Amino acid sequence: MSRNVAVIGSGLIGRAWAVVFARAGCQVRLWDPSPEVRATLRQTLAETCTLSGDDPAALDNVTICDDMASAVEGVEWVQENGPEKLEIKRQIYADLDRLAPPDAILASSSSALVASSFAKGLVGRHRILVAHPVNPPHVVPVVELCPSQDTAPEVMDRAEALMRAVSQVPVRLSREIDGFVLNRLQAVLLAESLSLIEQGIVTPEGLDDTICHGLGRRWTLLGPMATINLNAPGGVTDYLDRYGPTMARLSDSAARGEAFTEAAAKRVAAAMPPPEEVPERTRARDAKLAALARFLKD
């Protein structure tokens, strides 16, 4: 694939995006505002490839740039990975709108801010959208494409096509919504999980086992809609006829925002490995996710 893309911001998500584009054959220009980060990027990118089982030779497609202007010169896609702070985001997009080619798509990895909040008033707001990945995107392929009211349909078409071309799985939203789709689903599941733990109904380990070896294992192959279609002889309508009233009763009594308490956090934290083990356990998780991705692809 002979395409030029820029990755702005080189933290965990930015480096993972660089691998996504580079292994697909894109020419990637990578920039981070921190000179210290740029100085170690070759090493950290190589580590990212090693952990995910990707060929480090793909990194020959990556050029590390010293400034934003050179990073976005001549590209068709910009993947921005800046801080989740609105004022910083607005400044980044003012710069990107000014510096990037006028037909380049400007996509944000934001998981909390919608495009209209940082694209408002910009000449190129029609080419700005959110392309929200799951961490880490080089081993978990889904990408939520969320437009603002100003995002052109043609831009959404191009965004979806590019994501498919680099082997991601685009999910196209019709309009902006707080949290997009994935985080809204995750929030509901987390709320009920924390509530069940705080009530003493299940331990944190038992809760995680329920997902890992129950719902999660099934959902690896089929989403919840496809799952319920197979869970009754007559498909979805039969399932909802049989189990809809029960599910409605359970969802009506499920936990909401009140479940996110300090007490719940302490109870879960006491059952988890200490924070100093997080980096190593993250690397182990990513390696397993990469192995699972290869298995599912084959």
Side-chain angles (χ1 to χ4, degrees):
M1 183 187 301
S2 180
R3 310 180 85 153
N4 296 322
V5 302
V7 176
I8 303 299
S10 305
L12 289 172
I13 300 296
R15 293 196 301 272
W17 271 119
V19 171
V20 167
F21 292 121
R23 72 187 177 196
C26 299
Q27 295 302 306
V28 183
R29 295 180 187 158
L30 183 57
W31 176 74
D32 191 276
S34 168
E36 291 78 14
V37 170
R38 295 199 302 270
T40 61
L41 268 178
R42 284 293 171 194
Q43 177 184 343
T44 52
L45 281 171
E47 291 171 357
T48 300
C49 280
T50 299
L51 287 170
S52 62
D54 285 296
D55 186 354
L59 300 181
D60 292 343
N61 294 331
V62 178
T63 299
I64 298 170
C65 299
D66 291 328
D67 55 76
M68 182 188 286
S70 57
V72 302
E73 183 179 358
V75 302
E76 65 173 274
W77 179 276
V78 178
Q79 187 73 40
E80 170 272 319
N81 310 279
E84 293 281 324
K85 295 183 178 180
L86 184 55
E87 289 309 313
I88 295 176
K89 214 70 131 175
R90 283 175 173 164
Q91 184 57 59
I92 290 173
Y93 276 85
D95 292 338
L96 289 174
D97 195 33
R98 174 173 53 86
L99 295 171
D103 60 345
I105 293 175
L106 310 180
S108 177
S109 295
S110 173
S111 60
L113 300 172
V114 293
S116 61
S117 67
F118 50 80
K120 184 178 180 180
L122 295 178
V123 173
R125 57 189 178 276
H126 64 281
R127 57 174 175 152
I128 297 174
L129 71 149
V130 169
H132 172 230
V134 176
N135 184 21
H138 64 307
V139 293
V140 183
V142 74
V143 183
E144 296 181 283
L145 302 178
C146 183
S148 76
Q149 64 270 26
D150 295 314
T151 308
E154 177 266 341
V155 166
M156 292 294 289
D157 292 342
R158 288 172 56 201
E160 184 175 0
L162 178 60
M163 287 296 102
R164 294 193 189 282
V166 298
S167 299
Q168 299 301 95
V169 179
V171 174
R172 186 165 173 169
L173 280 59
S174 63
R175 58 182 175 85
E176 289 184 336
I177 184 171
D178 186 25
F180 314 118
V181 173
L182 187 143
N183 281 335
R184 294 181 72 88
L185 295 173
Q186 184 172 229
V188 174
L189 182 58
L190 282 176
E192 184 65 5
S193 299
L194 290 171
S195 176
L196 291 170
I197 292 168
E198 190 168 10
Q199 293 178 66
I201 293 169
V202 67
T203 64
E205 297 89 345
L207 190 287
D208 280 352
D209 282 344
T210 301
I211 299 299
C212 288
H213 304 294
L215 291 175
R217 188 167 295 197
R218 187 162 58 186
W219 288 348
T220 298
L221 303 175
L222 299 170
M225 297 299 99
T227 294
I228 65 172
N229 190 51
L230 301 183
N231 279 2
V236 172
T237 53
D238 186 17
Y239 179 92
L240 292 179
D241 183 59
R242 292 169 182 252
Y243 308 114
T246 298
M247 291 299 180
R249 185 181 75 252
L250 295 176
S251 62
D252 286 344
S253 64
R256 296 293 187 265
E258 70 278 0
F260 294 87
T261 66
E262 183 178 354
K266 288 180 178 179
R267 189 159 189 163
V268 174
M272 293 293 110
E276 54 267 25
E277 294 185 20
V278 167
E280 182 55 39
R281 288 177 177 270
T282 299
R283 287 189 286 269
R285 177 205 63 186
D286 291 355
K288 290 179 180 179
L289 284 171
L292 177 61
R294 290 191 295 272
F295 173 78
L296 292 173
K297 184 178 180 181
D298 292 341

